[in-house]
Amino acid sequence: MLTNEELSPDGDSIDPKERRSGSFTDRLSVGPIAAASRLMSSLTRQSRNSIPTISIDNNEKSSTSSSFFKPLTKHILPKRNRSISPKSPLSAPNLLNTSPFAINSTLTMRSSSTTPSGLNHISKSATTTVTSIESPSETVDLDYNFDVTYKQLSELAEINCHYFSQQTTDVCRRFERLLIQILHSLELSVPLIQLLTDSFHYFDYSPEIRANGYRTLVTSHGQACLRTLDILRQVDTKRVGLLFNLMYSSRLFQDLESWTKVLIGMQHLLSFAVKMISYSENKNLCIDADKVPLDIELDYFKIVAFDSEYFFGRTCGFQFAQSMQTILTFLLAGLATYHETYNRSIPFAAASLATAPKYLLFPEQRAKKCAAIFRDCDYLFCKSFWNLVDHDYIKMGSRYIAPNVTVSKYFQIGPEPIEIDSIIVPPPSAGASSDEPEERAAGNIGVGSDNPTGSGSKQPKQLVNIKLLSNQIREGMNELPLKKTDLETSSTKISPMSDQLLMHVHGGGFIATSSTTHEVYLKPWALGLDIPIVSVDYSLAPEYPFPRAIEECYYAYAWILKNASKLGWTGKTILLAGDSAGGNLITIVTIKAIEAGLRKPDAIICFYTPFLLGYSLSPSRLMAIMDPLLNTGFLWRCLAAYAGIKSDNVPPRDEISTKTIINKTKNDNKDITDNSFEIPTDKQQMHEDTYYARLTDIVGSRQAYLLRKLRESTLPNHPHMSPLRASDDTLRQFPTTYLIPCARDPFIDDNVEFARRLSSLKVSHHITVVDEWPHGFLDFGLASNGIAQLNIEIISMLQNIIRQSDFNATGDATSVPSFTN
């Protein structure tokens, strides 16, 4: 970790006259290499001591948080303002409030509310204020200055390169080549970052909530530069003498080589992001793939195929908080080991397990193996690996870690139709896919219960599995009935019914996990909120593709409304919460309730949710290329399995032309010094069969076939799969919607676009952006103290949401307690 002095060195500010200037439009006509050379020469002309000072004022309050979320953010949103060289074209004072490389880094959430901020003075009819973004964006991240970072990195690379060029040893020659690559990559990257920085404000949700995929890409590149700078400083201090060759050169060379590859991979991502801006209609973050020329799309698949390996070795998870990097390293090592034992004989599996530590000890082997897995494995392997957390033994162990609640009951509902106010909700009718192989899960969630259910288990027709969690036995629950095995703690006290109930739907890419795997945060919720929680164990793809999961969740929602008393609920306030795929499902349940005229929930809470499953591009989706948890290959397979697209067949010869175009890029990219992605002049003339032949050459026949089917399918763009495609009339009737995305998540753009859509329709909503943590952070509370603290703040936020929902339902200001900072 870098020190504070390294991040904020003292010195004089750079003369603004020597900086690049000009509008975004002016710079488009300048060649990237020429522009980079001009900027870098401007920077390097200055003295190493001429470095701007980053001043920190701890007395100024942050204006990014509404008072509604002050109970949530008072511990995690630093009330300070860092001013950074405002005239600098690359100065970056503001995407998110902390950097994982800053001393005393704190958890960060940025929130925005479209409802009045003072709960004690709130009116019953909430209003939405739509603010136009007119001022140019000058900020990227609060904790370091981009000018300083790039200047120091460039100068230190040049100094070390000059030193090694004067030496005659092979080691020095190898270092020299790496340093030349770093300098070349910076030359190409800095102009791209300038173009993206000038465009940030067009894609933000608001001037206060500055988050989108373009910002995330630039911030991640800056973090990679900081880490590379740290390695170069070590080289600079240890390069002289025999001791360097004997003790330090090997380790430092491997580290520097890894970060060089990351910088080059990030440069490719930045280059593609710049191309995407020109195809963004009305400054939308999500771009319909049909709007992008096929050759540009092939550039994207080249990055996926050839650059992903760079991010899974020594640099694994560098874009996240430091505590997550160790966790993700172990996870990828486990993925590589599990692949070697998957569907193998016991002796072979035992031998593979014995050699498993190699993936921890040798990062390059781990990176190569994981990249191959993400590229070539099928969805059954992905499903099997993620369902390891659903194994009986793991769940038995988790019971000693997760807190106990009084009531934990599994049961099934159905198959009778449910009638509410003359509205009939039928039981689930979509059956299992007949030609899919049945993949048994590592275990079933119902250990010790009457009805084992969960991922991989065969689903009884028209029945839905749900789980009730409650900190108290409440009136009416005995009607279920409750048995001794349904109680985790001994209790004879019967409490009154609760005015609130939370329906939860778990994530897992529609293909994995269960309510049990999410008890790591569900049980703390049940204890902290002290209300009944009903979690739906919907049937999983590919055995049960769309729309079975939606039918089950919607049926469970109707059953809850009809049978409120059995759950210890008065029927007053109901909230829906879901993470990832679960957030998608609860949003669609709300859509279906509105369409049917059924009572809609009082609020929905979506954690890092994909709102667009259709075949599209967005800058944050580029982050999936480097994401160990939510990798691009994994996303493709999850979507295909959920959409019922079969991917286990090799495409027939009559569908895709056997004519193969020699893909020079494939061979050239094996050498990390090649950074060119040339655009053919005949963009619009490329024949479709030729396109898929080239795609096959890049990603392989299986993936090309899968991608072709995904592109041709219209199902993922249906509003019941992609809520972002819902009609304005439907979205106008939405209840208050709470969005909690992660800034460094491939789905941050989905959330920003959905929030912007709700804002345009004057729908009450709140968006809170979480920094530093990866997709699925709710499940990592036991592995990271930082996330554990964040989850405590999430409970505080949920308590406030419940109070707000109660107030909206009653209009009684006395029901809303006052909050103090």
Side-chain angles (χ1 to χ4, degrees):
M1 178 177 291
L2 301 182
T3 65
N4 195 47
E5 287 75 15
E6 292 168 338
L7 292 176
S8 307
D10 294 330
D12 299 328
S13 60
I14 298 174
D15 185 359
K17 295 180 180 179
E18 292 190 310
R19 299 186 184 278
R20 285 179 72 230
S21 61
S23 66
F24 172 70
T25 307
D26 295 337
R27 282 188 293 275
L28 284 176
S29 61
V30 180
I33 295 180
S37 300
R38 190 166 60 193
L39 176 59
M40 296 305 294
S41 62
S42 171
L43 293 175
T44 54
R45 279 197 303 267
Q46 303 168 58
S47 168
R48 292 188 67 183
N49 295 325
S50 179
I51 300 173
T53 300
I54 303 177
S55 60
I56 300 177
D57 184 1
N58 291 323
N59 297 322
E60 295 186 21
K61 293 186 177 181
S62 171
S63 61
T64 60
S65 174
S66 70
S67 62
F68 178 81
F69 284 102
K70 281 181 181 177
L72 169 67
T73 59
K74 64 181 180 180
H75 299 299
I76 56 181
L77 185 61
K79 295 185 177 182
R80 61 192 181 194
N81 224 353
R82 299 172 180 83
S83 61
I84 304 178
S85 202
K87 296 182 180 180
S88 168
L90 290 179
S91 289
N94 231 347
L95 163 60
L96 304 157
N97 293 317
T98 61
S99 166
F101 304 101
I103 295 262
N104 299 325
S105 173
T106 57
L107 301 175
T108 305
M109 299 180 73
R110 303 195 56 156
S111 64
S112 175
S113 170
T114 60
T115 58
S117 59
L119 288 182
N120 292 327
H121 308 285
I122 192 170
S123 62
K124 187 171 183 179
S125 58
T127 59
T128 303
T129 302
V130 182
T131 306
S132 61
I133 305 172
E134 298 177 354
S135 59
S137 172
E138 299 174 345
T139 61
V140 182
D141 192 288
L142 280 172
D143 286 304
Y144 57 88
N145 184 293
F146 273 56
D147 273 344
V148 173
T149 300
Y150 295 133
K151 180 177 184 295
Q152 289 182 336
L153 181 59
S154 176
E155 289 183 345
L156 201 54
E158 287 183 349
I159 291 171
N160 281 289
C161 186
H162 177 74
Y163 171 81
F164 287 120
S165 67
Q166 305 300 314
Q167 311 304 312
T168 58
T169 64
D170 290 339
V171 171
C172 292
R173 289 286 177 267
R174 294 168 65 193
F175 271 98
E176 182 187 6
R177 285 193 292 270
L178 282 183
L179 293 167
I180 291 173
Q181 292 175 31
I182 291 175
L183 289 169
H184 180 59
S185 178
L186 286 178
E187 281 186 323
L188 297 177
S189 297
V190 169
L192 301 174
I193 291 170
Q194 177 67 73
L195 299 180
L196 293 175
T197 303
D198 288 344
S199 303
F200 282 165
H201 63 287
Y202 293 116
F203 301 95
D204 289 329
Y205 168 77
S206 72
E208 293 76 28
I209 302 300
R210 300 176 176 179
N212 60 65
Y214 294 113
R215 287 186 181 273
T216 302
L217 284 169
V218 173
T219 300
S220 298
H221 185 272
Q223 291 173 311
C225 286
L226 284 173
R227 299 290 288 270
T228 307
L229 184 59
D230 183 47
I231 302 299
L232 284 183
R233 283 172 174 153
Q234 294 181 52
V235 172
D236 191 45
T237 58
K238 299 174 181 178
R239 69 192 182 196
V240 179
L242 182 61
L243 197 60
F244 176 75
N245 292 328
L246 295 178
M247 296 184 59
Y248 302 121
S249 62
S250 178
R251 176 183 63 83
L252 290 175
F253 179 83
Q254 290 176 332
D255 289 343
L256 189 60
E257 183 181 39
S258 296
W259 287 106
T260 301
K261 291 179 179 179
V262 165
L263 289 178
I264 292 173
M266 289 296 301
Q267 173 213 316
H268 294 166
L269 294 177
L270 294 169
S271 176
F272 190 83
V274 168
K275 296 176 185 177
M276 289 178 61
I277 289 182
S278 60
Y279 298 103
S280 299
E281 296 182 357
N282 301 319
K283 304 304 179 184
N284 290 326
L285 286 165
C286 300
I287 305 171
D288 189 341
D290 293 335
K291 306 295 183 182
V292 179
L294 295 178
D295 59 312
I296 300 295
E297 195 176 333
L298 285 175
D299 285 348
Y300 166 70
F301 292 119
K302 293 171 189 174
I303 301 174
V304 173
F306 307 126
D307 288 359
S308 61
E309 183 179 332
Y310 301 166
F311 303 104
F312 302 140
R314 298 170 187 271
T315 63
C316 173
F318 74 92
Q319 66 270 37
F320 304 120
Q322 188 177 29
S323 61
M324 282 305 305
Q325 295 171 29
T326 302
I327 297 171
L328 295 174
T329 297
F330 275 92
L331 188 147
L332 286 186
L335 174 69
T337 302
Y338 184 72
H339 187 266
E340 291 193 350
T341 64
Y342 183 65
N343 286 340
R344 300 298 183 94
S345 63
I346 293 178
F348 186 92
S352 298
L353 287 173
T355 61
K358 67 183 178 183
Y359 292 119
L360 288 174
L361 299 175
F362 303 103
E364 289 75 19
Q365 290 190 35
R366 179 179 69 244
K368 184 176 181 180
K369 180 70 172 179
C370 290
I373 292 172
F374 288 131
R375 181 178 62 249
D376 301 326
C377 69
D378 58 21
Y379 55 76
L380 290 179
F381 171 80
C382 298
K383 180 184 179 78
S384 178
F385 176 72
W386 289 115
N387 274 333
L388 286 176
V389 295
D390 211 14
H391 194 283
D392 293 343
Y393 293 114
I394 294 178
K395 289 183 296 187
M396 289 173 62
S398 67
R399 291 176 182 174
Y400 295 98
I401 301 175
N404 287 332
V405 294
T406 301
V407 179
S408 178
K409 179 178 177 61
Y410 294 94
F411 58 101
Q412 294 179 325
I413 57 176
E416 300 82 7
I418 298 172
E419 183 176 354
I420 303 176
D421 298 330
S422 72
I423 300 172
I424 298 178
V425 178
S429 59
S433 178
S434 59
D435 56 347
E436 284 287 354
E438 288 203 12
E439 168 72 6
R440 295 292 297 183
N444 297 323
I445 73 167
V447 176
S449 67
D450 295 335
N451 298 298
T453 63
S455 50
S457 60
K458 192 169 183 178
Q459 176 68 6
K461 186 177 181 180
Q462 295 186 319
L463 296 181
V464 179
N465 301 288
I466 64 177
K467 177 195 293 185
L468 172 64
L469 297 173
S470 178
N471 187 37
Q472 302 182 53
I473 302 175
R474 297 187 178 272
E475 294 177 2
M477 286 184 178
N478 283 327
E479 296 180 28
L480 288 176
L482 289 179
K483 301 178 182 179
K484 186 176 180 180
T485 55
D486 299 324
L487 305 178
E488 293 186 348
T489 62
S490 299
S491 178
T492 58
K493 179 183 177 182
I494 306 297
S495 300
M497 289 185 179
S498 170
D499 285 338
Q500 306 88 18
L501 179 140
L502 178 69
M503 173 179 156
H504 169 265
V505 181
H506 67 82
F510 304 101
I511 70 170
T513 74
S514 66
S515 62
T516 298
T517 62
H518 289 63
E519 283 184 351
V520 66
Y521 65 85
L522 281 180
K523 286 187 175 181
W525 284 10
L527 294 172
L529 302 178
D530 199 22
I531 64 174
I533 296 178
V534 178
S535 187
V536 183
D537 269 312
Y538 56 89
S539 300
L540 301 174
E543 293 84 0
Y544 295 89
F546 174 89
R548 177 74 188 206
I550 295 172
E551 291 181 345
E552 292 186 12
C553 292
Y554 183 54
Y555 185 82
Y557 175 71
W559 188 91
I560 291 170
L561 296 178
K562 183 74 172 179
N563 298 273
S565 61
K566 295 181 180 179
L567 302 170
W569 175 46
T570 62
K572 177 183 174 183
T573 303
I574 181 170
L575 298 92
L576 272 55
D579 67 301
S580 192
N584 175 280
L585 292 172
I586 65 166
T587 308
I588 294 166
V589 166
T590 304
I591 291 175
K592 287 178 67 69
I594 292 172
E595 291 173 344
L598 190 65
R599 171 187 171 179
K600 62 187 179 184
D602 295 280
I604 63 173
I605 308 153
C606 303
F607 293 89
Y608 37 83
T609 296
F611 289 102
L612 181 61
L613 302 185
Y615 191 79
S616 62
L617 297 172
S618 80
S620 69
R621 298 289 171 91
L622 297 179
M623 294 295 295
I625 296 172
M626 52 194 286
D627 197 307
L629 283 172
L630 211 62
N631 189 262
T632 302
F634 177 71
L635 291 177
W636 290 342
R637 289 169 179 83
C638 288
L639 176 57
Y642 183 50
I645 296 173
K646 310 300 183 297
S647 60
D648 53 352
N649 299 320
V650 176
R653 287 180 175 269
D654 58 348
E655 252 190 83
I656 296 181
S657 173
T658 57
K659 178 183 177 181
T660 302
I661 298 176
I662 298 176
N663 182 17
K664 296 178 69 176
T665 311
K666 180 176 181 180
N667 297 325
D668 293 341
N669 274 271
K670 292 180 181 178
D671 181 3
I672 64 173
T673 61
D674 178 44
N675 307 308
S676 60
F677 286 96
E678 297 297 332
I679 304 174
T681 55
D682 56 343
K683 300 178 185 178
Q684 306 300 330
Q685 303 301 318
M686 186 184 299
H687 191 273
E688 186 173 296
D689 284 347
T690 302
Y691 164 79
Y692 283 109
R694 292 182 62 183
L695 182 60
T696 301
D697 194 33
I698 295 171
V699 301
S701 60
R702 175 179 293 186
Q703 285 222 53
Y705 179 75
L706 176 66
L707 291 168
R708 181 168 191 168
K709 290 300 182 183
L710 284 173
R711 188 183 187 109
E712 293 172 350
S713 176
T714 59
L715 186 59
N717 279 311
H718 191 282
H720 288 179
M721 281 189 76
S722 296
L724 201 54
R725 303 297 193 197
S727 67
D728 288 349
D729 289 340
T730 299
L731 291 182
R732 281 194 186 97
Q733 303 176 60
F734 253 52
T736 303
T737 301
Y738 298 86
L739 307 175
I740 301 97
C742 303
R744 313 187 189 195
D745 182 11
F747 296 140
I748 179 62
D749 289 341
D750 292 48
N751 286 261
V752 171
E753 283 297 316
F754 195 66
R756 292 168 72 177
R757 182 91 183 275
L758 294 177
S759 179
S760 68
L761 298 173
K762 304 294 190 292
V763 177
S764 174
H765 64 284
H766 304 257
I767 178 169
T768 301
V769 180
V770 177
D771 189 21
E772 297 189 5
W773 306 113
H775 185 93
F777 69 80
L778 288 173
D779 293 304
F780 288 97
L782 298 179
S784 169
N785 291 333
I787 295 181
Q789 176 63 31
L790 177 59
N791 285 344
I792 293 174
E793 304 295 341
I794 292 291
I795 293 175
S796 176
M797 182 188 71
L798 293 175
Q799 291 171 341
N800 295 337
I801 291 174
I802 291 171
R803 295 185 182 102
Q804 176 68 59
S805 300
D806 280 347
F807 169 73
N808 290 340
T810 63
D812 182 9
T814 60
S815 66
V816 184
S818 61
F819 300 136
T820 58
N821 291 326

